[in-house]
Amino acid sequence: MTAIQSRAFVQIQNVFKEFETEGKGAAPIPVIDGVSMEIQEGEFVVYLGPSGCGKTTLMRIVGGLETATTGEVRLGGERVTGPDRRKGMVFQAYTSFPWLTVLQNIKFGTKYRDDVSETERNEIANHYLQLVGLEDFADFYVNRISGGMRQRVAIARTLAAAPDILLMDEPFGALDAQTRDFLQEQLLEICRAERKAVIFVTHDVEEAVFLADRVFMFSARPARVIEEIDVNGAIGSERMADTKETDAFFHLRNHVRDLMRDQARAIG
Amino acid sequence: MPGTAGRGRASGSGQALGALVAYRGATGGRANLTLGIAAFVLFIAVWYLIVFTGLVTERFLPYPGVVIGTMAQLLVTESFLNDVWISVARVWGAFLLSVVAAVPIGIWMSSYRIVGALVEPIVDFIRYLPVPALVPLLIIWFGIGEASKVAVLWMGTFFQLVLLIADDAKRIPREFVETGYTLGAKPRQITRSIVLPSMLPTMVDNLRITLGWCWTWIIVAEIVAANSGIGHYIWSMRRFLKTPEVMAGILVVGIIGLLTDQAVRIAHRRLFRYL
């Protein structure tokens, strides 16, 4: 199979991944079982699947933090060979640095950019500080702020690095439900302003349907795409706080939840 | 002092007392200080009683007052102060040489598996060699001058410290390093701007503990082969059975250790306010 000359921003082509296991004669464990997809610029894509199915591994391959056993990922036509600033990543674990303040953390995102001056670094940091609504906490050390705020710092820092794509690995997984709802809405606003491609990994069905333009539903390990759900086609691209109460959302969520249940049952 | 200090805290004192005896209860500055001082007072009281009752003759265990008096006298004696200064200089000199070597090598060990796999078994082996057993060898190699003292201290601390540092570096969250990569940092930049600041608080703690060991090894080294330093002083007083002087010398080592430790603790609190 030769590289397809498509215009898509992210091209994932026939990716297989196996994890080596320790011990003599132990067979490698298949994690990703031949996944291909294309993601357009500015598109918000959610990877949904049962825990441990390999969706995070696929996202990490896109980020260059893992390598595919076979197959390849192209970003803007260029083959991904390792991590760099163009593939920004937000983790579930808090990664804002405790020795820096909120503002310093966000500015850290610009540290390895050679396309901006020192004045611009400060402007960028302040811009994203405002975008995530943390102006009042600029000089707080991150150990003094809540988990939700720490994730906003991480998102702002990642954006300050001006990545081409935003990779988010269950960033709201450790937060309480109210904070989660609030951050989901805020994330959509930010993404509307930034117009970046996003891959967002979650196992929360409601979160997936609310955030996504498209949802890729994965099987239990090894991960295969079992259904691609066109959320915009079903409920429109407009998302408000009360979107979750509409009939269309309700029906789509139930459909996706059934898919998810089947997969969970497969694991047992 | 008890009158004024006690009144304002009267209402909370029952609770504070509860916290002191509760399993893993909250710790407080004032209560800790009071208990610390009380332990010292109790220690000296027991000591006094042992001599007073004649349990041990004064020749072997002088009264606390005599030892403290001797120490006060020593602290204004120029030759003794010179011994103190020499020991302090040896400890700090050797300690800094240890740190300068252990920090980069330790970080390197945790950064590249090949370095860790090569270095760790050897370090582990040498680490278990008892330092006093190495003293004769180090004297053959380095003579009885300053070099052998520094060598003894260095051997006694470097091999422990390098493993502690490697561990500190290894223990920083993997996501911190990956965040560095995805923000565009190179490995060297990740080490400098993420790994180092991240491990610094635990590293300073480990340095503080290692510095304490230096005081053990310096006395060993100075007793075996030296004509200066606190260890040499203690050893030469032993020859004349001057027990108060011997104990005063030991006490001075303890006090220097305690003061250094507290200074580093305070610096730690100032440096790492964010913790």
Side-chain angles (χ1 to χ4, degrees), chain A residues 13-52:
Chain A
Q13 288 159 3
N14 215 17
V15 165
F16 284 83
K17 174 74 177 174
E18 289 177 339
F19 277 144
E20 296 297 325
T21 45
E22 299 273 327
K24 229 186 290 176
I29 300 170
V31 187
I32 299 169
D33 188 19
V35 172
S36 300
M37 69 175 68
E38 294 187 337
I39 300 167
Q40 310 301 326
E41 223 155 339
E43 195 178 17
F44 199 123
V45 161
V46 170
Y47 287 179
L48 181 68
S51 294

mmCIF file of all heavy atoms in Angstrom, chain A residues 13-52:
data_model
loop_
_atom_site.group_PDB
_atom_site.id
_atom_site.type_symbol
_atom_site.label_atom_id
_atom_site.label_comp_id
_atom_site.label_asym_id
_atom_site.label_seq_id
_atom_site.Cartn_x
_atom_site.Cartn_y
_atom_site.Cartn_z
ATOM 1 N N GLN A 13 -2.228 5.400 8.717
ATOM 2 C CA GLN A 13 -2.316 4.398 7.664
ATOM 3 C C GLN A 13 -1.959 3.017 8.175
ATOM 4 O O GLN A 13 -0.795 2.728 8.424
ATOM 5 C CB GLN A 13 -1.398 4.794 6.494
ATOM 6 C CG GLN A 13 -1.975 5.977 5.723
ATOM 7 C CD GLN A 13 -0.915 6.698 4.915
ATOM 8 O OE1 GLN A 13 0.230 6.284 4.884
ATOM 9 N NE2 GLN A 13 -1.302 7.771 4.265
ATOM 10 N N ASN A 14 -3.009 2.202 8.363
ATOM 11 C CA ASN A 14 -2.822 0.787 8.627
ATOM 12 C C ASN A 14 -1.857 0.516 9.782
ATOM 13 O O ASN A 14 -0.910 -0.237 9.649
ATOM 14 C CB ASN A 14 -2.312 0.127 7.344
ATOM 15 C CG ASN A 14 -2.871 -1.261 7.199
ATOM 16 O OD1 ASN A 14 -3.862 -1.598 7.866
ATOM 17 N ND2 ASN A 14 -2.261 -2.059 6.359
ATOM 18 N N VAL A 15 -2.116 1.167 10.909
ATOM 19 C CA VAL A 15 -1.216 1.048 12.056
ATOM 20 C C VAL A 15 -1.505 -0.226 12.861
ATOM 21 O O VAL A 15 -2.641 -0.485 13.245
ATOM 22 C CB VAL A 15 -1.331 2.290 12.971
ATOM 23 C CG1 VAL A 15 -0.682 2.023 14.328
ATOM 24 C CG2 VAL A 15 -0.687 3.497 12.304
ATOM 25 N N PHE A 16 -0.441 -1.004 13.034
ATOM 26 C CA PHE A 16 -0.461 -2.153 13.942
ATOM 27 C C PHE A 16 0.520 -1.872 15.076
ATOM 28 O O PHE A 16 1.554 -1.253 14.854
ATOM 29 C CB PHE A 16 -0.005 -3.434 13.228
ATOM 30 C CG PHE A 16 -1.046 -4.023 12.325
ATOM 31 C CD1 PHE A 16 -1.213 -3.527 11.029
ATOM 32 C CD2 PHE A 16 -1.843 -5.079 12.746
ATOM 33 C CE1 PHE A 16 -2.161 -4.069 10.181
ATOM 34 C CE2 PHE A 16 -2.792 -5.633 11.901
ATOM 35 C CZ PHE A 16 -2.959 -5.126 10.613
ATOM 36 N N LYS A 17 0.179 -2.348 16.249
ATOM 37 C CA LYS A 17 1.124 -2.179 17.356
ATOM 38 C C LYS A 17 1.088 -3.408 18.251
ATOM 39 O O LYS A 17 0.012 -3.904 18.601
ATOM 40 C CB LYS A 17 0.748 -0.936 18.183
ATOM 41 C CG LYS A 17 1.565 -0.728 19.447
ATOM 42 C CD LYS A 17 2.965 -0.238 19.138
ATOM 43 C CE LYS A 17 3.749 0.028 20.423
ATOM 44 N NZ LYS A 17 5.143 0.370 20.118
ATOM 45 N N GLU A 18 2.270 -3.905 18.572
ATOM 46 C CA GLU A 18 2.383 -5.016 19.516
ATOM 47 C C GLU A 18 3.301 -4.592 20.646
ATOM 48 O O GLU A 18 4.285 -3.901 20.420
ATOM 49 C CB GLU A 18 3.002 -6.245 18.823
ATOM 50 C CG GLU A 18 2.093 -6.909 17.817
ATOM 51 C CD GLU A 18 2.793 -8.079 17.120
ATOM 52 O OE1 GLU A 18 4.039 -8.098 17.122
ATOM 53 O OE2 GLU A 18 2.089 -8.942 16.601
ATOM 54 N N PHE A 19 2.968 -5.011 21.850
ATOM 55 C CA PHE A 19 3.877 -4.769 22.983
ATOM 56 C C PHE A 19 4.675 -6.030 23.243
ATOM 57 O O PHE A 19 4.108 -7.107 23.362
ATOM 58 C CB PHE A 19 3.083 -4.393 24.249
ATOM 59 C CG PHE A 19 2.715 -2.949 24.304
ATOM 60 C CD1 PHE A 19 1.499 -2.558 24.856
ATOM 61 C CD2 PHE A 19 3.577 -1.964 23.822
ATOM 62 C CE1 PHE A 19 1.141 -1.211 24.921
ATOM 63 C CE2 PHE A 19 3.222 -0.620 23.880
ATOM 64 C CZ PHE A 19 1.996 -0.240 24.429
ATOM 65 N N GLU A 20 5.987 -5.867 23.336
ATOM 66 C CA GLU A 20 6.844 -6.995 23.702
ATOM 67 C C GLU A 20 6.553 -7.366 25.148
ATOM 68 O O GLU A 20 6.270 -6.502 25.970
ATOM 69 C CB GLU A 20 8.324 -6.595 23.580
ATOM 70 C CG GLU A 20 8.757 -6.267 22.167
ATOM 71 C CD GLU A 20 8.638 -7.458 21.222
ATOM 72 O OE1 GLU A 20 8.877 -8.596 21.693
ATOM 73 O OE2 GLU A 20 8.309 -7.263 20.043
ATOM 74 N N THR A 21 6.605 -8.666 25.435
ATOM 75 C CA THR A 21 6.417 -9.065 26.829
ATOM 76 C C THR A 21 7.697 -9.710 27.340
ATOM 77 O O THR A 21 8.467 -10.284 26.584
ATOM 78 C CB THR A 21 5.252 -10.063 26.975
ATOM 79 O OG1 THR A 21 5.377 -11.037 25.955
ATOM 80 C CG2 THR A 21 3.927 -9.352 26.869
ATOM 81 N N GLU A 22 7.904 -9.594 28.639
ATOM 82 C CA GLU A 22 9.071 -10.194 29.275
ATOM 83 C C GLU A 22 8.896 -11.707 29.310
ATOM 84 O O GLU A 22 7.794 -12.227 29.259
ATOM 85 C CB GLU A 22 9.210 -9.658 30.709
ATOM 86 C CG GLU A 22 9.403 -8.157 30.800
ATOM 87 C CD GLU A 22 10.861 -7.748 30.682
ATOM 88 O OE1 GLU A 22 11.732 -8.519 31.140
ATOM 89 O OE2 GLU A 22 11.137 -6.673 30.120
ATOM 90 N N GLY A 23 10.001 -12.406 29.417
ATOM 91 C CA GLY A 23 9.925 -13.848 29.604
ATOM 92 C C GLY A 23 10.147 -14.611 28.315
ATOM 93 O O GLY A 23 9.794 -14.147 27.228
ATOM 94 N N LYS A 24 10.724 -15.795 28.450
ATOM 95 C CA LYS A 24 11.091 -16.589 27.293
ATOM 96 C C LYS A 24 9.837 -17.142 26.611
ATOM 97 O O LYS A 24 8.928 -17.628 27.271
ATOM 98 C CB LYS A 24 11.992 -17.758 27.722
ATOM 99 C CG LYS A 24 13.245 -17.852 26.850
ATOM 100 C CD LYS A 24 14.056 -19.093 27.189
ATOM 101 C CE LYS A 24 14.729 -18.998 28.541
ATOM 102 N NZ LYS A 24 15.442 -20.216 28.914
ATOM 103 N N GLY A 25 9.794 -17.024 25.313
ATOM 104 C CA GLY A 25 8.713 -17.631 24.558
ATOM 105 C C GLY A 25 7.373 -16.933 24.686
ATOM 106 O O GLY A 25 6.392 -17.366 24.106
ATOM 107 N N ALA A 26 7.307 -15.850 25.485
ATOM 108 C CA ALA A 26 6.039 -15.133 25.633
ATOM 109 C C ALA A 26 5.730 -14.392 24.337
ATOM 110 O O ALA A 26 6.588 -13.698 23.801
ATOM 111 C CB ALA A 26 6.113 -14.161 26.796
ATOM 112 N N ALA A 27 4.509 -14.563 23.872
ATOM 113 C CA ALA A 27 4.132 -13.920 22.617
ATOM 114 C C ALA A 27 3.885 -12.435 22.851
ATOM 115 O O ALA A 27 3.390 -12.050 23.906
ATOM 116 C CB ALA A 27 2.866 -14.582 22.072
ATOM 117 N N PRO A 28 4.254 -11.607 21.861
ATOM 118 C CA PRO A 28 3.940 -10.188 22.002
ATOM 119 C C PRO A 28 2.435 -9.970 22.036
ATOM 120 O O PRO A 28 1.679 -10.723 21.426
ATOM 121 C CB PRO A 28 4.572 -9.547 20.763
ATOM 122 C CG PRO A 28 4.872 -10.660 19.832
ATOM 123 C CD PRO A 28 4.979 -11.921 20.625
ATOM 124 N N ILE A 29 1.986 -8.947 22.779
ATOM 125 C CA ILE A 29 0.556 -8.686 22.915
ATOM 126 C C ILE A 29 0.127 -7.680 21.854
ATOM 127 O O ILE A 29 0.668 -6.570 21.807
ATOM 128 C CB ILE A 29 0.251 -8.114 24.319
ATOM 129 C CG1 ILE A 29 0.686 -9.125 25.382
ATOM 130 C CG2 ILE A 29 -1.223 -7.763 24.451
ATOM 131 C CD1 ILE A 29 0.660 -8.562 26.783
ATOM 132 N N PRO A 30 -0.829 -8.058 20.998
ATOM 133 C CA PRO A 30 -1.315 -7.086 20.007
ATOM 134 C C PRO A 30 -2.169 -6.016 20.697
ATOM 135 O O PRO A 30 -3.029 -6.343 21.514
ATOM 136 C CB PRO A 30 -2.145 -7.932 19.045
ATOM 137 C CG PRO A 30 -2.546 -9.134 19.833
ATOM 138 C CD PRO A 30 -1.489 -9.364 20.867
ATOM 139 N N VAL A 31 -1.895 -4.757 20.394
ATOM 140 C CA VAL A 31 -2.594 -3.659 21.055
ATOM 141 C C VAL A 31 -3.475 -2.898 20.055
ATOM 142 O O VAL A 31 -4.590 -2.516 20.373
ATOM 143 C CB VAL A 31 -1.593 -2.669 21.692
ATOM 144 C CG1 VAL A 31 -2.318 -1.634 22.520
ATOM 145 C CG2 VAL A 31 -0.583 -3.424 22.531
ATOM 146 N N ILE A 32 -2.923 -2.679 18.864
ATOM 147 C CA ILE A 32 -3.702 -1.988 17.834
ATOM 148 C C ILE A 32 -3.706 -2.877 16.597
ATOM 149 O O ILE A 32 -2.656 -3.334 16.148
ATOM 150 C CB ILE A 32 -3.095 -0.608 17.507
ATOM 151 C CG1 ILE A 32 -3.110 0.263 18.754
ATOM 152 C CG2 ILE A 32 -3.873 0.072 16.380
ATOM 153 C CD1 ILE A 32 -2.311 1.539 18.612
ATOM 154 N N ASP A 33 -4.901 -3.115 16.077
ATOM 155 C CA ASP A 33 -5.056 -4.136 15.052
ATOM 156 C C ASP A 33 -5.451 -3.506 13.722
ATOM 157 O O ASP A 33 -6.586 -3.644 13.270
ATOM 158 C CB ASP A 33 -6.114 -5.146 15.525
ATOM 159 C CG ASP A 33 -6.198 -6.349 14.606
ATOM 160 O OD1 ASP A 33 -5.236 -6.573 13.849
ATOM 161 O OD2 ASP A 33 -7.223 -7.046 14.648
ATOM 162 N N GLY A 34 -4.518 -2.767 13.122
ATOM 163 C CA GLY A 34 -4.770 -2.238 11.790
ATOM 164 C C GLY A 34 -5.781 -1.117 11.764
ATOM 165 O O GLY A 34 -6.938 -1.303 11.414
ATOM 166 N N VAL A 35 -5.362 0.075 12.140
ATOM 167 C CA VAL A 35 -6.259 1.226 12.148
ATOM 168 C C VAL A 35 -5.819 2.231 11.092
ATOM 169 O O VAL A 35 -4.639 2.547 10.977
ATOM 170 C CB VAL A 35 -6.285 1.898 13.537
ATOM 171 C CG1 VAL A 35 -7.070 3.204 13.482
ATOM 172 C CG2 VAL A 35 -6.878 0.956 14.575
ATOM 173 N N SER A 36 -6.788 2.701 10.308
ATOM 174 C CA SER A 36 -6.537 3.775 9.343
ATOM 175 C C SER A 36 -7.593 4.847 9.531
ATOM 176 O O SER A 36 -8.755 4.524 9.786
ATOM 177 C CB SER A 36 -6.606 3.254 7.904
ATOM 178 O OG SER A 36 -5.645 2.246 7.707
ATOM 179 N N MET A 37 -7.207 6.079 9.444
ATOM 180 C CA MET A 37 -8.208 7.162 9.479
ATOM 181 C C MET A 37 -7.567 8.453 9.011
ATOM 182 O O MET A 37 -6.340 8.566 8.933
ATOM 183 C CB MET A 37 -8.776 7.328 10.893
ATOM 184 C CG MET A 37 -7.794 7.875 11.906
ATOM 185 S SD MET A 37 -8.550 8.187 13.506
ATOM 186 C CE MET A 37 -8.926 6.530 14.054
ATOM 187 N N GLU A 38 -8.413 9.409 8.697
ATOM 188 C CA GLU A 38 -7.924 10.731 8.316
ATOM 189 C C GLU A 38 -8.621 11.767 9.176
ATOM 190 O O GLU A 38 -9.806 11.636 9.497
ATOM 191 C CB GLU A 38 -8.234 10.992 6.837
ATOM 192 C CG GLU A 38 -7.470 10.064 5.914
ATOM 193 C CD GLU A 38 -7.664 10.443 4.459
ATOM 194 O OE1 GLU A 38 -8.687 11.093 4.155
ATOM 195 O OE2 GLU A 38 -6.786 10.118 3.642
ATOM 196 N N ILE A 39 -7.876 12.771 9.557
ATOM 197 C CA ILE A 39 -8.438 13.851 10.375
ATOM 198 C C ILE A 39 -8.125 15.171 9.676
ATOM 199 O O ILE A 39 -6.991 15.389 9.225
ATOM 200 C CB ILE A 39 -7.839 13.825 11.800
ATOM 201 C CG1 ILE A 39 -8.167 12.481 12.479
ATOM 202 C CG2 ILE A 39 -8.364 15.000 12.624
ATOM 203 C CD1 ILE A 39 -7.373 12.225 13.748
ATOM 204 N N GLN A 40 -9.161 16.006 9.575
ATOM 205 C CA GLN A 40 -8.978 17.278 8.874
ATOM 206 C C GLN A 40 -8.486 18.361 9.830
ATOM 207 O O GLN A 40 -8.632 18.252 11.045
ATOM 208 C CB GLN A 40 -10.302 17.733 8.243
ATOM 209 C CG GLN A 40 -11.003 16.686 7.415
ATOM 210 C CD GLN A 40 -10.162 16.187 6.259
ATOM 211 O OE1 GLN A 40 -9.387 16.947 5.675
ATOM 212 N NE2 GLN A 40 -10.283 14.902 5.931
ATOM 213 N N GLU A 41 -7.943 19.404 9.239
ATOM 214 C CA GLU A 41 -7.507 20.539 10.038
ATOM 215 C C GLU A 41 -8.700 21.146 10.783
ATOM 216 O O GLU A 41 -9.783 21.269 10.207
ATOM 217 C CB GLU A 41 -6.867 21.595 9.133
ATOM 218 C CG GLU A 41 -5.623 22.179 9.720
ATOM 219 C CD GLU A 41 -4.686 22.729 8.646
ATOM 220 O OE1 GLU A 41 -4.802 22.327 7.474
ATOM 221 O OE2 GLU A 41 -3.864 23.568 9.006
ATOM 222 N N GLY A 42 -8.525 21.491 12.049
ATOM 223 C CA GLY A 42 -9.593 22.120 12.816
ATOM 224 C C GLY A 42 -10.669 21.161 13.291
ATOM 225 O O GLY A 42 -11.653 21.571 13.887
ATOM 226 N N GLU A 43 -10.482 19.874 13.054
ATOM 227 C CA GLU A 43 -11.505 18.898 13.424
ATOM 228 C C GLU A 43 -11.275 18.363 14.836
ATOM 229 O O GLU A 43 -10.128 18.142 15.245
ATOM 230 C CB GLU A 43 -11.479 17.734 12.433
ATOM 231 C CG GLU A 43 -12.709 16.865 12.519
ATOM 232 C CD GLU A 43 -12.694 15.729 11.505
ATOM 233 O OE1 GLU A 43 -11.615 15.418 10.954
ATOM 234 O OE2 GLU A 43 -13.760 15.158 11.261
ATOM 235 N N PHE A 44 -12.356 18.166 15.556
ATOM 236 C CA PHE A 44 -12.280 17.636 16.921
ATOM 237 C C PHE A 44 -12.712 16.173 16.880
ATOM 238 O O PHE A 44 -13.873 15.869 16.655
ATOM 239 C CB PHE A 44 -13.201 18.428 17.853
ATOM 240 C CG PHE A 44 -12.870 18.266 19.311
ATOM 241 C CD1 PHE A 44 -12.574 19.390 20.091
ATOM 242 C CD2 PHE A 44 -12.844 17.012 19.921
ATOM 243 C CE1 PHE A 44 -12.258 19.256 21.438
ATOM 244 C CE2 PHE A 44 -12.527 16.871 21.264
ATOM 245 C CZ PHE A 44 -12.227 18.002 22.026
ATOM 246 N N VAL A 45 -11.728 15.293 17.102
ATOM 247 C CA VAL A 45 -11.983 13.865 17.002
ATOM 248 C C VAL A 45 -11.839 13.246 18.380
ATOM 249 O O VAL A 45 -10.918 13.572 19.121
ATOM 250 C CB VAL A 45 -10.983 13.230 16.010
ATOM 251 C CG1 VAL A 45 -10.893 11.726 16.212
ATOM 252 C CG2 VAL A 45 -11.373 13.568 14.579
ATOM 253 N N VAL A 46 -12.790 12.360 18.726
ATOM 254 C CA VAL A 46 -12.687 11.684 20.018
ATOM 255 C C VAL A 46 -12.471 10.192 19.802
ATOM 256 O O VAL A 46 -13.140 9.586 18.964
ATOM 257 C CB VAL A 46 -13.957 11.923 20.864
ATOM 258 C CG1 VAL A 46 -13.939 11.019 22.108
ATOM 259 C CG2 VAL A 46 -14.060 13.383 21.299
ATOM 260 N N TYR A 47 -11.503 9.648 20.523
ATOM 261 C CA TYR A 47 -11.302 8.197 20.550
ATOM 262 C C TYR A 47 -12.027 7.668 21.772
ATOM 263 O O TYR A 47 -11.689 8.013 22.903
ATOM 264 C CB TYR A 47 -9.819 7.851 20.691
ATOM 265 C CG TYR A 47 -8.980 8.092 19.459
ATOM 266 C CD1 TYR A 47 -7.609 7.822 19.490
ATOM 267 C CD2 TYR A 47 -9.531 8.563 18.280
ATOM 268 C CE1 TYR A 47 -6.816 8.028 18.380
ATOM 269 C CE2 TYR A 47 -8.748 8.781 17.154
ATOM 270 C CZ TYR A 47 -7.380 8.506 17.208
ATOM 271 O OH TYR A 47 -6.605 8.715 16.109
ATOM 272 N N LEU A 48 -13.017 6.830 21.524
ATOM 273 C CA LEU A 48 -13.789 6.278 22.632
ATOM 274 C C LEU A 48 -13.624 4.764 22.639
ATOM 275 O O LEU A 48 -13.632 4.126 21.576
ATOM 276 C CB LEU A 48 -15.266 6.644 22.452
ATOM 277 C CG LEU A 48 -16.243 6.170 23.536
ATOM 278 C CD1 LEU A 48 -15.983 6.882 24.843
ATOM 279 C CD2 LEU A 48 -17.680 6.407 23.076
ATOM 280 N N GLY A 49 -13.474 4.199 23.798
ATOM 281 C CA GLY A 49 -13.342 2.747 23.881
ATOM 282 C C GLY A 49 -13.164 2.329 25.318
ATOM 283 O O GLY A 49 -12.898 3.170 26.165
ATOM 284 N N PRO A 50 -13.328 1.028 25.579
ATOM 285 C CA PRO A 50 -13.162 0.561 26.957
ATOM 286 C C PRO A 50 -11.736 0.785 27.453
ATOM 287 O O PRO A 50 -10.813 0.891 26.648
ATOM 288 C CB PRO A 50 -13.491 -0.937 26.873
ATOM 289 C CG PRO A 50 -13.427 -1.306 25.435
ATOM 290 C CD PRO A 50 -13.685 -0.059 24.649
ATOM 291 N N SER A 51 -11.583 0.844 28.771
ATOM 292 C CA SER A 51 -10.266 1.075 29.361
ATOM 293 C C SER A 51 -9.273 0.018 28.872
ATOM 294 O O SER A 51 -9.615 -1.148 28.756
ATOM 295 C CB SER A 51 -10.346 1.007 30.891
ATOM 296 O OG SER A 51 -11.127 2.062 31.358
ATOM 297 N N GLY A 52 -8.082 0.464 28.589
ATOM 298 C CA GLY A 52 -7.017 -0.458 28.216
ATOM 299 C C GLY A 52 -7.164 -1.046 26.827
ATOM 300 O O GLY A 52 -6.547 -2.048 26.504
#
